[in-house]
């Protein structure tokens, strides 16, 4: 939700800020703005809409400034207008601020500031600029600290002041900020991608920390103004991994990344000879693992569907009961958690506010809390007591794709690790691992069908509704296929388990209501086939995902996409790919903005 970029150094700030905003556009794209110091004055430019609009506005302006802040907005308080676009200023125009998060007590603060302040926006963020103005007596850092002492809510902040043309003040509470260290230059951003081309050395600001950054040095203090010692981390992602690499969209590139990044996820994390996995980051002793009586998987959106696939894996391989909880529901229903419960928070961004809050609640109740996360150094990665990075590389399209398959693979490895400690045989473990190592090549075979799936999208692009059907471990796949389609093509879609259709959803079916069904060869094949016969009888068009060699599939359906065979528990790693490609090509066929669908943002850092 919203992205911040800031630069202070000796390079021209403008290209760094605009380039950085483009990298962070996935975080929100309602409007964007920036401020640079030009001839001793902060100079602001704002535009409603995507970064291209801001760029267009800047086309005929030249700025030599080597210091600036920028922001891309996902609107919370106040409509999508230019005045509501960041950066915001105080009454004097001296203080300029970009804010990510929500100032919960902004109304009280506004009231306490009195009627002397003139506001130009409807945002909570602008109130903070006025509060800093009130507290300012010549020292920007002190003014920010005094103001933050009065604030309730979340913030990632980048602040400049006209009287301090060489000082950038940043602060964090609940909204991530990464500081990149160059030579006599600093980069600040909501994640590390804007700085990958310049530096790999970063410092992750923690909640309650304030950084005062000058060109040649930096001080980080806590909210009591006490110096904090920080560790420099190295980012392993490279610049190329955050680019489209010739693909038309990030989403397509990320779909095609899957064979490679799946290998990155599993490499070195299992022992074929023992038929087991070794995810050392779990940070639990074998006796502690044996004591676990229940596993709770907490996540949102696509990550929650990976969690649902994980439930089948843990229950079947490890015999441990698993609950999957959508994070926003978990914390408000007084969940039953004890010290024999292992809770995994699963998140691509590692910043999802609902997931983070749910994990804190689980920790408070005494559970073992671990993370399965993509973004290195993200809040969930740091707030959990261990866990595993999924190594999917930067995922920049708003629609999550490669994170799903990598999360699912890591859950499988965990299920195997717990399974082998319980009753799972070496032989079964070995068969699963052998099958897992074959997945990347099989993924490539599916991706080769992209053009065929594109033709299907052309055929079905005028459908108003879709029903996705799956059973067992393929039900989460159906849910994921349905979410992908609706979020980027805006076509209404639902997903139900095949066997549930007769209890209501079948009433929807008609020749105008296509059904996308997963009917691969597994223990539920015959049951699923019967469900599809029920669909056929209602004359709804059917697209099937079937196993290569299933000659009978074509008799049932108008269209069939064949996937290579694999072991049942691994099917989500393959069967999801045609659904991702279908959603992608549908969105392209309909002229949608694939990477930045309306109303959405990639990291949802508000509750
Ligand atoms: O970063 P996270 O994995 O925690 O994000 C969770 C969801 O917000 C995310 O999966 C969302 O549903 C995507 N738009 C799905 O494509």
């Amino acid at each position: 939700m919203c992205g911040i970029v800031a630069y202070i150094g000796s390079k021209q700030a403008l290209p760094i800020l605009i380039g950085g905003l483009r990298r962070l556009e996935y975080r929100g794209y309602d409007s964007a703005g920036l401020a640079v110091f030009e001839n001793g004055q902060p100079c602001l430019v704002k535009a409603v809409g995507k970064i291209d609009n801001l760029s267009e506005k800047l086309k005929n302006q030249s700025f030599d400034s080597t210091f600036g802040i920028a922001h891309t907005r996902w609107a919370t308080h106040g409509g999508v207008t230019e005045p509501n676009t960041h950066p915001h200023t105080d009454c004097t125009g001296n203080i300029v601020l970009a804010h990510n998060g929500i100032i919960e007590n902004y109304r009280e603060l506004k009231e306490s500031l009195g009627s002397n302040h003139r506001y130009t926006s409807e945002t909570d963020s602008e109130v903070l600029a006025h509060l800093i103005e009130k507290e300012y007596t010549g020292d920007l850092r002190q003014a920010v600290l005094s103001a933050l002492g009065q604030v309730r809510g979340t913030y990632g902040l980048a602040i400049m002041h006209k009287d301090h043309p060489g000082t950038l003040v940043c602060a964090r509470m609940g909204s991530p900020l990464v500081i990149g260290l160059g030579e006599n230059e600093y980069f600040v951003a909501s994640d590390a991608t804007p700085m990958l081309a310049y530096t790999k050395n970063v410092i992750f600001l923690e909640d309650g920390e304030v950084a005062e950054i000058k060109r040649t040095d930096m001080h980080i203090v806590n909210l009591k103004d006490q110096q904090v010692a920080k560790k420099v981390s190295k980012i392993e992602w490279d610049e190329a991994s955050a680019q489209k690499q010739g693909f038309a969209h990030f989403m397509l590139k990320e779909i095609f990344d899957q064979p490679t990044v799946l290998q990155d996820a599993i490499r070195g994390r299992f022992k074929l000879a023992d038929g087991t996995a070794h995810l050392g980051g779990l940070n639990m002793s074998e006796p502690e693992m044996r004591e676990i009586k229940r596993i709770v998987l907490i996540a949102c959106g696509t990550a929650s569907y990976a969690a649902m696939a994980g439930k089948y894996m843990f229950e079947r391989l490890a015999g441990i009961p698993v609950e999957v909880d959508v994070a926003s529901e978990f914390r408000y229903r007084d969940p039953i958690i004890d010290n024999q419960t292992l809770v995994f928070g699963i998140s691509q961004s590692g910043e999802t506010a609902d997931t983070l809050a749910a994990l804190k609640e689980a920790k408070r109740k005494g559970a073992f809390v671990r993370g399965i996360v993509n973004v290195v150094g993200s809040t969930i990665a740091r707030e959990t007591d261990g866990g595993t990075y999924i190594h999917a590389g930067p995922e920049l399209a708003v629609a999550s794709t490669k994170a799903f398959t990598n999360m699912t693979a890591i859950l499988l490895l965990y299920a195997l690790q717990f399974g082998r400690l319980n009753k799972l045989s070496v032989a079964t473990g070995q068969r699963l691992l052998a099958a897992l190592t074959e997945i990347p090549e099989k993924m490539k075979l599916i991706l080769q069908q992209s053009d065929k799936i594109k033709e299907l999208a052309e055929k079905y692009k005028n459908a108003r509704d879709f029903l996705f059907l799956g059973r067992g471990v393929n039900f989460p796949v159906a849910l994921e296929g349905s979410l992908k389609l609706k979020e980027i093509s805006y076509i209404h879609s639902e997903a139900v388990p095949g066997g549930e259709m007769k209890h209501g959803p079948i009433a929807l079916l008609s020749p105008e209501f296509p059904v996308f069904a997963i009917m691969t060869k597994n223990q539920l094949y015959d049951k699923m086939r019967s469900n599809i016969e029920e669909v056929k009888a209602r004359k709804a068009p059917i697209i099937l995902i079937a196993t290569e060699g299933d000659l009978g599939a074509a008799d049932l359906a108008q269209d069939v996409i064949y996937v290579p065979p694999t072991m049942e528990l691994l099917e989500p790693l393959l069967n999801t790919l045609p659904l991702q490609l279908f959603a992608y090509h549908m969105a392209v066929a309909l002229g949608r903005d694939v990477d930045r669908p309306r109303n959405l943002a990639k990291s949802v850092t508000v509750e």
Side-chain angles (χ1 to χ4, degrees):
M1 302 270 116
C2 303
I4 291 177
V5 194
Y7 174 75
I8 184 162
S10 54
K11 297 187 176 75
Q12 256 197 354
L14 195 61
I16 295 172
L17 297 177
I18 289 287
L21 284 182
R22 289 194 192 283
R23 288 287 156 79
L24 295 183
E25 199 170 16
Y26 71 85
R27 301 179 71 89
Y29 31 82
D30 287 331
S31 63
L34 55 80
V36 287
F37 257 99
E38 202 66 11
N39 304 322
Q41 295 288 336
C43 176
L44 276 77
V45 185
K46 302 179 179 189
V48 167
K50 306 207 164 112
I51 312 297
D52 282 345
N53 299 359
L54 179 65
S55 217
E56 185 60 30
K57 250 189 161 171
L58 287 160
K59 218 169 56 188
N60 299 320
Q61 309 192 39
S62 79
F63 292 113
D64 293 326
S65 174
T66 55
F67 175 23
I69 63 177
H71 186 273
T72 180
R73 179 169 187 246
W74 187 82
T76 57
H77 292 64
V80 179
T81 62
E82 209 165 290
N84 287 340
T85 301
H86 298 228
H88 291 292
T89 55
D90 65 330
C91 297
T92 63
N94 291 347
I95 295 165
V96 184
L97 149 166
H99 168 228
N100 177 11
I102 292 180
I103 308 297
E104 287 168 7
N105 59 339
Y106 81 103
R107 282 192 203 84
E108 294 156 39
L109 293 171
K110 201 168 179 178
E111 213 162 287
S112 73
L113 283 166
S115 53
N116 291 339
H117 287 262
R118 281 169 289 106
Y119 296 89
T120 54
S121 80
E122 307 154 301
T123 64
D124 52 332
S125 312
E126 190 192 352
V127 177
L128 191 50
H130 291 267
L131 189 61
I132 297 170
E133 174 191 358
K134 182 188 143 213
E135 298 298 334
Y136 181 74
T137 54
D139 184 327
L140 182 59
R141 182 177 92 205
Q142 286 306 331
V144 171
L145 285 168
S146 309
L148 294 182
Q150 301 164 57
V151 159
R152 216 173 49 241
T154 54
Y155 49 80
L157 284 167
I159 307 161
M160 44 165 54
H161 192 294
K162 179 174 161 282
D163 296 343
H164 304 272
T167 305
L168 168 69
V169 174
C170 296
R172 176 198 158 129
M173 182 66 75
S175 293
L177 277 185
V178 185
I179 303 174
L181 317 178
E183 205 157 301
N184 293 333
E185 62 179 355
Y186 291 92
F187 305 81
V188 177
S190 303
D191 74 30
T193 51
M195 55 195 82
L196 289 178
Y198 307 98
T199 182
K200 297 281 162 58
N201 297 324
V202 301
I203 285 175
F204 295 104
L205 220 54
E206 302 283 344
D207 280 352
E209 290 179 351
V210 176
E212 184 180 46
I213 306 172
K214 306 199 172 175
R215 283 181 174 84
T216 49
D217 61 0
M218 169 173 65
H219 295 285
I220 299 182
V221 296
N222 60 22
L223 290 175
K224 293 185 184 140
D225 202 21
Q226 293 156 332
Q227 186 95 12
V228 183
K230 299 290 292 180
K231 179 175 122 241
V232 177
S233 308
K234 232 183 175 70
I235 296 287
E236 285 179 7
W237 291 355
D238 61 10
E239 167 68 358
S241 65
Q243 288 177 349
K244 284 189 202 152
Q245 297 174 356
F247 286 92
H249 297 96
F250 277 115
M251 182 180 176
L252 190 61
K253 182 237 167 203
E254 288 158 11
I255 291 172
F256 274 79
D257 274 350
Q258 290 174 105
T260 307
V261 298
L262 191 100
Q263 263 161 341
D264 295 341
I266 62 177
R267 187 178 300 119
R269 286 175 160 171
F270 62 87
K271 272 200 183 151
L272 195 56
D274 301 339
T276 191
H278 289 285
L279 294 159
L282 182 63
N283 219 2
M284 288 172 78
S285 65
E286 278 195 16
E288 281 174 331
M289 287 172 75
R290 285 183 210 280
E291 282 300 301
I292 292 300
K293 298 285 175 284
R294 195 161 142 261
I295 292 175
V296 178
L297 305 176
I298 296 175
C300 303
T302 286
S304 75
Y305 301 144
M308 283 175 74
K311 173 182 167 78
Y312 288 89
M313 295 165 178
F314 273 112
E315 293 191 341
R316 187 146 344 145
L317 300 179
I320 303 173
V322 175
E323 281 163 45
V324 177
D325 254 300
V326 168
S328 52
E329 290 296 311
F330 176 82
R331 58 191 288 232
Y332 294 112
R333 64 172 175 78
D334 200 11
I336 298 162
I337 295 286
D338 58 24
N339 60 6
Q340 290 184 316
T341 308
L342 169 59
V343 174
F344 281 106
I346 306 169
S347 172
Q348 187 287 129
S349 62
E351 301 294 346
T352 302
D354 288 324
T355 308
L356 190 58
L359 293 178
K360 283 186 178 157
E361 176 67 3
K363 212 169 182 182
R364 200 182 61 76
K365 291 195 158 188
F368 289 90
V369 176
R370 304 292 185 260
I372 296 177
V373 171
N374 191 34
V375 177
V376 175
S378 56
T379 309
I380 293 175
R382 285 178 293 117
E383 296 258 326
T384 45
D385 302 319
T388 300
Y389 285 118
I390 63 168
H391 294 327
E395 193 186 67
L396 300 177
V398 163
S400 188
T401 52
K402 57 181 178 172
F404 175 86
T405 36
N406 274 26
M407 286 165 180
T408 307
I410 294 301
L411 285 161
L412 179 85
L413 291 181
Y414 269 125
L416 204 53
Q417 192 165 334
F418 275 88
R420 288 284 295 109
L421 275 188
N422 294 342
K423 289 191 185 128
L424 191 77
S425 69
V426 180
T428 307
Q430 286 175 330
R431 277 200 304 126
L432 276 159
L433 288 170
L436 183 61
T437 56
E438 289 170 1
I439 292 291
E441 284 308 311
K442 292 183 176 179
M443 283 176 155
K444 286 182 193 165
L445 297 174
I446 297 172
L447 295 175
Q448 282 169 12
Q449 300 182 63
S450 181
D451 285 345
K452 181 186 163 195
I453 295 172
K454 186 177 173 184
E455 283 168 25
L456 276 185
E458 276 300 325
K459 179 171 167 186
Y460 288 98
K461 71 178 181 197
N462 295 320
R464 288 186 50 215
D465 310 277
F466 261 90
L467 184 67
F468 286 76
L469 293 181
R471 291 189 77 135
V473 77
N474 283 309
F475 173 49
V477 176
L479 284 163
E480 174 59 3
S482 169
L483 176 64
K484 281 296 85 87
L485 184 68
K486 74 181 83 156
E487 71 178 335
I488 60 167
S489 73
Y490 318 145
I491 293 172
H492 165 248
S493 74
E494 299 186 29
V496 293
E500 183 63 13
M501 195 181 47
K502 58 186 176 291
H503 298 289
I506 199 166
L508 293 169
L509 298 187
S510 74
E512 282 74 49
F513 205 124
V515 173
F516 211 130
I518 304 155
M519 193 193 71
T520 36
K521 285 273 174 138
N522 56 39
Q523 58 170 346
L524 290 166
Y525 175 82
D526 290 334
K527 304 280 174 210
M528 191 64 196
R529 209 183 152 93
S530 305
N531 298 144
I532 294 162
E533 294 283 6
E534 292 157 15
V535 174
K536 193 176 174 194
R538 272 79 193 174
K539 299 196 167 47
I542 299 168
I543 310 172
L544 272 187
I545 297 181
T547 306
E548 279 168 6
D550 181 357
L551 300 179
D555 300 338
L556 267 183
Q558 275 69 15
D559 297 284
V560 184
I561 303 166
Y562 290 100
V563 295
T566 186
M567 289 177 76
E568 182 174 347
L569 284 178
L570 276 60
E571 285 186 358
L573 299 174
L574 296 181
N575 294 349
T576 311
L577 272 59
L579 302 181
Q580 295 169 342
L581 284 168
F582 183 71
Y584 170 78
H585 288 302
M586 288 285 272
V588 174
L590 291 167
R592 309 294 192 227
D593 190 341
V594 174
D595 285 337
R596 293 162 300 187
R598 71 184 180 202
N599 305 337
L600 290 172
K602 188 151 183 80
S603 331
V604 186
T605 54
V606 293
E607 272 191 67

